[in-house]
Amino acid sequence: DEALRARAREVVAGVVASGTAAVMPNLNSFERHLVHTIVAEAGLASVSIGEGLRKDVQISVKEGSGS
């Protein structure tokens, strides 16, 4: 889904620029997989948060990265 990829890249750019964590809310498993992949490619950290089928993904600078 190109719209989701574009949004994830925007959020990643914001985290890189600010150093502040951001959350992409209410994602299904396929969407979370795409977001985690984009985040990893950017060298950032991500974690799924919540219960059930739709969860949030928190994106942040990796610990100890100095960013």
Side-chain angles (χ1 to χ4, degrees):
D1 179 68
E2 283 307 311
L4 177 63
R5 290 176 199 269
R7 179 69 183 128
R9 288 185 191 107
E10 289 174 8
V11 173
V12 163
V15 170
V16 169
S18 69
T20 302
V23 174
M24 293 189 67
N26 198 31
L27 303 175
N28 66 37
S29 62
F30 175 77
E31 294 166 332
R32 290 192 310 273
H33 176 73
L34 285 177
V35 171
H36 286 300
T37 300
I38 290 167
V39 170
E41 289 171 354
L44 299 179
S46 60
V47 62
S48 294
I49 301 169
E51 300 293 326
L53 297 176
R54 299 190 70 84
K55 300 177 185 175
D56 300 343
V57 174
Q58 181 177 12
I59 302 166
S60 60
V61 175
K62 283 186 177 179
E63 293 282 329
S65 69
S67 296

